[in-house]
Amino acid sequence: MKTRAKNAILGRLRAATAAGFPRVSAPTIPRKPGGGVADFERFAAVLTTLGPTFEMARTPEEARQALTAYLAANDVKTAVRWDHPDLDAVSAAGVLAEAKVAVIAPEELPERVCPGLAAVDLGVTAVAYALCATGSLVMAAAPGRERGTPLVPRLHVAFVARSRLVPDLPTMLERVGQGPMPSALNCVSGVSSTGDIEFVYVRGVHGPLAVHVIGLDWL
Amino acid sequence: MTKTAHDFAKASAKALGDRQSRAILHKAIGHIRVLRQRSVNAMPDFAERQARAVAVRDKTLAKLPELLEKLEASVTAVGGRVHYAETAETAATLVARILSERGAKLVVKGKSMVSEEMGLNEVLEAAGIEAVETDLGEYIIQLAGQRPSHILAPALHVSKEQVSDLFARKFGRTSTDIPEMTRIARDSLRQKFLAADAGITGCNIAIAETGTVTVLENEGNIRLSGSCPPIHIALMTLEKVVETLADAAVVLDILPPAATGQTLPVHLSFFTGARREGERDGPREMHLVILDNGRSDILADPKLRSILRCIRCGACLNVCPVYQSVGGHAYGTVYPGPMGSVISPLLKDNPGDPRQPFACTHCAACSEACPAGIDHPALLQELRRRVSETETDLPVAAFSLLARHPLLFGGAAAVGRLFDPKLREVAAVAPDAPVGRFLRCREFPGLARPFSRRFKALARRLKRLQGGRA
């Protein structure tokens, strides 16, 4: 049954294309590769127009202070974090422990991760890339880097190292294409939003209600 | 699913009488157009992006069977399974079977026009599976028991007061404040996401070389549907594939600006297969359903195949005077507006009113707005030609006869002049007669003084206006 449908469809498509298609009429204009800017100034300027907040940390100590202040200001009692070298560089786990935040480490997650994160206040992640042209955070799923961490909790904090900045989406896809694709690659530009009721723009629909980005200037 | 006998003329006449929906539609469409124009103006290289996108779409269509085989191999290599479906009905049955075999009872759905095309919700309901729409607009429509009216903004026609009443009835909680209503929907849907046995999403772009399903959205419901439940089923129509990540980047360069005026949507997700070894979340099972439903026949049709370039951005709907006047429901098909008028009659299921291609003013706003370079008016013209081969439209046939015989034309015009300018009143005596139908929505030209007699005076006036230039 399955093979029959496949063979019938592909058979028709082969017959349709065998006659030869006219040559592509439009010229394939090559993209100017990576001509864009990749710096924190551009990234933060675009990012903050989309809803997230941004602060720059010039040293690991400044990054820790930034996270500590954020936890206090947002009444964070519970958190979940990724296992990532950029988080180790700022001792994120230590900061959370000092602030008496109950942290679920990746290895302690329940069988069904998302329901287990429903009541968690904060997800702490790093990024695979950050796109300066669009203020986007690009997160790749991997063991210890769950999809639910930046998605289900009420708040999301992302640490963005300078070395993760790239000019734009095509540059990022070019780099991603040099290795195997992760099971999920999420490019997030701003805070979840909708205009479905009378085109009135509302932020905070399904994902986190607020996103805060801490730039790691030295990394 | 059976082929519907839909009467666009009657449905559009009814829609034109609904002042409230028309006012909402006008406001919303005006808003989208401003956003899109702003975005296009901010892209000096928009024309280049468009040319690249057209080239990628054409290259893809020319290699479609090869790319689908490559896609299947790639998806299988990353732990996914690919299924082909000839018709909307078999696709829906297939999805229901996958879910039933795994004992799924609750399914969350990201916004997907393909699932609408499949009539999936009804089939799942019949199989005892609760399917919950999770895009806010789709959710409103589902709660109201309606169908989407726009491929991007399904609840475009619903007022906030109507949503407020609906929420009061369904949740016992409501507000007239839109952010608060959004929060009510968020709370209700979150429970569904967390409890769902499976997530169903559409697919904006499938990437053959990597086996990746790419989806764009602003709300995050598709990301949740493809990330939280243990099973992910992605649905696509067969032309949605591209070859490489670089080709996907070309389409992504143009799709969000053309659709919503954004450079990128809030959530752009690349799902590649099932969760990998050592990962604790993401679906354990990933299925990709590829639907034909008449599209392989469209590819074999040199005069119409360019409609398969469509990237479903909705730009043609937002500039179409017909769509803006009657709204999406009048079309009676899943896909409304110019792209819908072309593709719906060619689909195997629910082709709508065969005379749909005649509902076009040939203003060409759609082809001008289309980022994929589709010439909708030319395609609609071809569809009209085909319809006229199979059926006779009396007023058109009569005009055709008169136009080919000048003496007869003169005679008919003379008869018309006897009644002019009361011809409309005469025609109203028999509104369903050919002349009555013809005049129902047309301004009839003045016949009292034939053009041949007015020509010399008109020529003199034109000369005067041109400042005496010949």
Side-chain angles (χ1 to χ4, degrees):
Chain A
M1 167 73 192
K2 183 186 156 188
T3 313
R4 201 171 58 222
K6 172 186 167 179
N7 292 343
I9 292 167
L10 290 179
R12 283 194 299 272
L13 292 175
R14 282 193 201 101
T17 52
F21 267 53
R23 291 187 67 79
V24 173
S25 52
T28 308
I29 303 161
R31 223 177 182 286
K32 300 171 190 71
V37 183
D39 63 28
F40 270 127
E41 197 178 343
R42 176 79 198 279
F43 171 71
V46 181
L47 175 87
T48 50
T49 63
L50 301 170
T53 47
F54 178 85
E55 66 186 301
M56 179 69 87
R58 283 171 180 76
T59 63
E61 184 51 36
E62 276 187 25
R64 283 192 285 274
Q65 286 168 0
L67 180 58
T68 304
Y70 184 85
L71 297 173
N74 290 279
D75 194 27
V76 174
K77 300 277 187 285
T78 52
V80 58
R81 64 166 175 83
W82 270 9
D83 183 359
H84 194 286
D86 294 1
L87 298 189
D88 297 340
V90 298
S91 314
V95 174
L96 291 163
E98 277 170 34
K100 306 273 188 297
V101 172
V103 177
I104 308 171
E107 61 276 10
E108 297 164 348
L109 286 163
E111 171 60 21
R112 286 283 301 267
V113 169
C114 286
L117 301 181
V120 172
D121 292 323
L122 171 69
V124 184
T125 72
V127 298
Y129 300 95
L131 315 183
C132 296
T134 48
S136 314
L137 304 171
V138 181
M139 290 163 287
R145 298 172 201 170
E146 282 64 37
R147 305 173 189 213
T149 301
L151 180 61
V152 180
R154 177 172 60 93
L155 306 166
H156 174 211
V157 166
F159 286 97
V160 175
R162 175 177 286 283
S163 57
R164 309 276 176 191
L165 298 174
V166 295
D168 54 17
L169 181 80
T171 313
M172 182 274 282
L173 289 177
E174 201 179 307
R175 296 206 193 166
V176 165
Q178 288 164 7
M181 280 291 276
S183 63
L185 188 75
N186 296 107
C187 175
V188 182
S189 311
V191 179
S192 119
S193 65
T194 185
D196 270 345
I197 304 176
E198 289 196 9
F199 269 94
V200 171
Y201 186 70
V202 178
R203 278 184 174 147
V205 189
H206 290 306
L209 296 171
V211 177
H212 185 62
V213 177
I214 300 171
L216 309 178
D217 200 25
W218 77 95
L219 201 59
Chain B
M1 224 183 306
T2 53
K3 293 190 177 188
T4 43
H6 180 76
D7 187 333
F8 177 79
K10 278 190 180 148
S12 55
K14 188 178 165 203
L16 289 169
D18 183 346
R19 285 172 180 275
Q20 189 191 20
S21 289
R22 287 186 70 188
I24 296 168
L25 188 68
H26 267 271
K27 184 178 146 195
I29 291 282
H31 182 71
I32 297 180
R33 284 167 68 169
V34 168
L35 289 177
R36 178 201 147 94
Q37 202 48 53
R38 203 180 293 160
S39 150
V40 171
N41 292 348
M43 286 180 184
D45 63 340
F46 191 82
E48 276 186 23
R49 290 176 185 227
Q50 189 173 15
R52 276 197 296 267
V54 172
V56 162
R57 294 304 296 139
D58 281 349
K59 180 183 83 168
T60 297
L61 294 177
K63 298 166 76 172
L64 203 46
E66 178 193 325
L67 293 185
L68 289 173
E69 286 185 293
K70 195 172 183 179
L71 175 67
E72 183 178 8
S74 302
V75 169
T76 308
V78 289
R81 285 185 58 191
V82 173
H83 312 262
Y84 289 83
E86 294 241 43
T87 65
E89 202 171 348
T90 53
T93 308
L94 176 76
V95 173
R97 200 176 64 239
I98 292 170
L99 294 167
S100 297
E101 283 172 357
R102 286 149 185 82
K105 290 281 170 235
L106 172 65
V107 174
V108 281
K109 282 182 71 213
K111 193 173 94 60
S112 155
M113 293 308 292
V114 188
S115 77
E116 293 286 338
E117 187 179 332
M118 292 176 182
L120 185 59
N121 290 5
E122 293 81 356
V123 174
L124 293 182
E125 197 181 329
I129 298 163
E130 183 191 357
V132 181
E133 294 291 352
T134 60
D135 169 86
L136 178 59
E138 288 275 3
Y139 190 46
I140 290 166
I141 293 299
Q142 186 180 38
L143 291 173
Q146 296 181 10
R147 291 220 169 268
S149 63
H150 190 287
I151 62 173
L152 287 186
L156 194 70
H157 59 287
V158 184
S159 71
K160 68 175 182 182
E161 290 77 16
Q162 289 167 328
V163 177
S164 178
D165 292 348
L166 184 68
F167 282 12
R169 285 202 311 276
K170 298 286 177 180
F171 305 128
R173 243 181 104 187
T174 197
S175 166
T176 49
D177 176 59
I178 292 174
E180 183 52 31
M181 283 194 269
T182 305
R183 175 57 76 98
I184 292 168
R186 172 189 165 103
D187 292 348
S188 166
L189 286 169
R190 183 148 273 235
Q191 302 314 312
K192 304 288 185 184
F193 282 125
L194 301 179
D197 301 309
I200 295 175
T201 71
C203 169
N204 293 97
I205 307 165
I207 305 167
E209 72 170 2
T210 57
T212 302
V213 167
T214 312
V215 275
L216 290 80
E217 53 164 339
N218 284 321
E219 292 186 15
N221 58 302
I222 296 176
R223 189 174 156 202
L224 278 156
S225 299
S227 301
C228 290
I231 301 165
H232 175 203
I233 301 176
L235 314 172
M236 65 179 272
T237 52
L238 51 76
E239 82 286 7
K240 287 290 193 84
V241 67
V242 298
E243 187 167 13
T244 63
L245 278 166
D247 286 348
V250 167
V251 178
L252 290 169
D253 247 353
I254 198 107
L255 176 52
T260 54
Q262 294 166 289
T263 312
L264 279 182
V266 178
H267 299 277
L268 165 60
S269 304
F270 299 88
F271 294 124
T272 308
R275 76 167 75 167
R276 309 283 160 78
E277 185 73 34
E279 289 178 8
R280 290 185 182 80
D281 68 356
R284 291 187 184 280
E285 267 187 67
M286 187 266 174
H287 298 263
L288 176 61
V289 177
I290 301 174
L291 173 66
D292 180 340
N293 199 22
R295 290 171 175 85
S296 54
D297 293 335
I298 301 173
L299 190 74
D301 191 328
K303 288 189 169 155
L304 297 175
R305 68 168 57 123
S306 63
I307 192 61
L308 295 179
R309 286 179 186 164
C310 179
I311 54 174
R312 312 272 212 287
C313 68
C316 61
L317 279 65
N318 301 335
V319 294
C320 174
V322 177
Y323 176 86
Q324 284 171 66
S325 301
V326 302
H329 287 158
Y331 290 79
T333 51
V334 171
Y335 304 105
M339 56 78 72
S341 295
V342 176
I343 201 146
S344 301
L346 303 170
L347 297 179
K348 297 284 185 223
D349 295 282
N350 190 16
D353 185 339
R355 297 190 57 77
Q356 184 64 58
F358 290 82
C360 167
T361 64
H362 279 252
C363 70
C366 49
S367 50
E368 202 173 309
C370 178
I374 298 168
D375 185 356
H376 304 81
L379 301 181
L380 290 166
Q381 192 72 32
E382 174 61 19
L383 286 167
R384 289 179 182 192
R385 196 187 60 72
R386 294 181 190 190
V387 169
S388 64
E389 278 176 355
T390 58
E391 62 173 60
T392 306
D393 185 316
L394 269 177
V396 174
F399 182 80
S400 165
L401 178 78
L402 297 175
R404 281 177 286 128
H405 299 86
L407 276 174
L408 274 180
F409 191 95
V415 172
R417 263 193 293 283
L418 290 176
F419 296 106
D420 189 57
K422 302 281 186 190
L423 194 65
R424 186 173 293 279
E425 287 155 45
V426 173
V429 174
D432 289 326
V435 175
R437 282 208 319 271
F438 186 80
L439 289 178
R440 200 181 295 158
C441 51
R442 287 178 178 87
E443 281 300 322
F444 206 69
L447 291 171
R449 290 189 65 230
F451 182 75
S452 55
R453 282 201 212 146
R454 290 185 294 145
F455 178 71
K456 280 183 180 169
L458 287 169
R460 279 199 300 273
R461 191 170 159 219
L462 183 67
K463 208 168 180 176
R464 260 201 322 276
L465 288 170
Q466 289 174 331
R469 288 194 311 276

